[in-house]
Amino acid sequence: MRSDSLTVVPPVQNKAGYLDFMGSMTEYPRLAYSMKAVRKAGDQLAKPIQFGRDITVGQYVDALEIFTIANSWRDSHFLPMRSVRFSVGHHMRALRLKGDMASRPKRMASIRRKLRESTTNLDTMNDIGGCRAIMSDIKGVRSLLASMRDKFPHEIHSREFNYIDEPKPDGYRSHHIVFKYRPRDAETEAFEGRRIELQVRTRLQHSWATAVEAVGLFRGQDLKHGKGDQDWLRLFQLMSAEFAHVEQCPVHIGVPDHNDRVRELRDINKRIGATSILEDTKSLTLYSGNFIHPTEKFRYYLLQYGKDHNVIIEPFRTLMLGARKLKEIEQKIELRGIDAKAVLVEVDKVEKLVEMYPNYFGDVSLFVRNLKSICTGKAAMEGGSSEALRKARLWLA
């Protein structure tokens, strides 16, 4: 059922505000290769690429060309990604919904894994450009989605992926919607049809998803893709059901009822010391607050997570400068086998960086707080990462 409040969304966005947010359209990179070359590069990325001292100069040049074409394709999603982000933010503001937004181009390592493990091709991948809206509660999620379906400047592509009402077996819950970019004028026709994925989720759902990634990063296990310690995977599955219970949403079929879930969570927590490990994940992840510049406003940040749990944060004034550095680091990771993860993100305010990407900072505050509450017989509580906000405020002081 539609809420009457949805009618307050203006049918046309403020052009001046849009242009101010987007900047010069000519600065955004266009695809420098043919779509045939993109598809061919995608086919090569899905296969093992030989590196090391034994390869010939020709093989090294070929590998560089594959990554150069893939990077050009990814870069051509920057303008559509930012346009979708602005439009979603427009709906949030018009509806006066509480929430935050962030966006990122997909990591090359994630692109390669998806090409290997699915039937998708590089030129048809939905989430090379990704936006995320974190809403205060489930009502905000549903209101935002209904509003965008009613009126949005870009085409909703194919079917939506409603993992909130139909959770994944591992417990993942979020609503994914894919847009196909519609150009506003002749200047942006080169980007027509680029696919941008938007994830809309609550703070509870976000705390679950990022806790899975944070623990996986810390323990060196790919928990996000169902690989790793079975106790941890089961704990996250049960916690997801508890969060769904609080939000009055469906739980995954086969998950035990509330009382049995709590008993099992207590048992797992006691057996593996989950709360202690989660707290260690936070305390042993090292990063400096020197990326915060009170007198300068940066929107783009390159995050590098090393195997020693050190996080390096580098701010950039423009998306293109950050993308250039990301390409450089990813080439070292892919071609030299460096054990690190790198991601380029955009946030509205620097204080939101840790809150929107807590997995890279080991910040599992909300998740561990709720795990403790549930294990003591209390219900999970919605809320933001107060510790992240406290730290950010201290750095800005």
Side-chain angles (χ1 to χ4, degrees), residues 115-360:
L115 289 171
R116 286 194 305 268
E117 298 178 357
S118 72
T119 58
T120 190
N121 298 313
L122 183 60
D123 60 310
T124 58
M125 195 172 289
N126 286 332
D127 61 343
I128 287 180
C131 299
R132 185 175 286 166
I134 312 301
M135 313 306 292
S136 294
D137 52 37
I138 194 67
K139 182 180 178 182
V141 169
R142 301 198 189 282
S143 294
L144 177 61
L145 289 168
S147 178
M148 290 188 298
R149 293 188 196 105
D150 185 62
K151 189 79 177 179
F152 204 75
H154 305 294
E155 176 188 349
I156 296 179
H157 173 66
S158 188
R159 67 184 180 92
E160 298 177 33
F161 299 87
N162 185 357
Y163 299 123
I164 294 177
D165 293 328
E166 298 176 15
K168 287 188 176 183
D170 64 358
Y172 178 80
R173 299 168 60 241
S174 181
H175 193 108
H176 295 194
I177 184 168
V178 177
F179 298 104
K180 291 181 73 172
Y181 178 78
R182 284 189 184 128
R184 296 170 66 93
D185 48 38
E187 194 175 21
T188 56
E189 282 182 356
F191 305 100
E192 185 172 8
R194 294 292 189 273
R195 302 179 190 188
I196 305 298
E197 182 185 79
L198 170 68
Q199 298 177 0
V200 188
R201 56 174 67 153
T202 65
R203 295 202 183 280
L204 269 184
Q205 293 161 11
H206 187 56
S207 75
W208 182 94
T210 52
V212 171
E213 293 190 38
V215 174
L217 278 172
F218 187 77
R219 294 174 58 83
Q221 298 178 344
D222 193 9
L223 298 177
K224 180 179 178 180
H225 296 96
K227 301 172 184 176
D229 186 280
Q230 291 301 307
D231 278 332
W232 276 105
L233 293 171
R234 181 60 171 171
L235 180 141
F236 282 119
Q237 186 183 52
L238 295 170
M239 283 293 290
S240 170
E242 282 302 293
F243 288 175
H245 176 71
V246 168
E247 293 178 333
Q248 298 182 338
C249 294
V251 300
H252 176 60
I253 296 173
V255 175
D257 64 23
H258 169 69
N259 291 335
D260 288 339
R261 287 196 301 264
V262 172
R263 279 192 290 269
E264 191 174 351
L265 277 168
R266 285 172 180 160
D267 180 60
I268 295 174
N269 185 38
K270 183 178 180 180
R271 184 166 63 249
I272 67 175
T275 52
S276 296
I277 292 172
L278 286 163
E279 287 166 347
D280 287 344
T281 299
K282 179 181 174 182
S283 63
L284 296 178
T285 301
L286 307 175
Y287 59 97
S288 169
N290 62 5
F291 62 90
I292 296 193
H293 300 265
T295 59
E296 299 185 65
K297 291 185 178 181
F298 293 96
R299 297 183 66 93
Y300 310 100
Y301 296 87
L302 183 64
L303 310 179
Q304 297 179 63
Y305 185 98
K307 62 179 180 179
D308 56 357
H309 311 306
N310 272 302
V311 183
I312 300 171
I313 307 104
E314 188 174 356
F316 292 91
R317 288 186 177 84
T318 71
L319 179 57
M320 278 54 80
L321 286 173
R324 197 175 304 156
K325 185 62 179 286
L326 176 65
K327 178 182 177 182
E328 175 188 318
I329 292 169
E330 286 186 330
Q331 282 189 352
K332 292 178 181 178
I333 292 172
E334 297 288 344
L335 298 178
R336 300 181 190 175
I338 295 174
D339 189 3
K341 295 182 184 295
V343 63
L344 180 65
V345 304
E346 178 182 1
V347 291
D348 292 325
K349 298 177 181 178
V350 67
E351 309 89 287
K352 297 293 182 182
L353 184 61
V354 180
E355 190 174 351
M356 296 299 289
Y357 293 94
N359 44 308
Y360 284 93

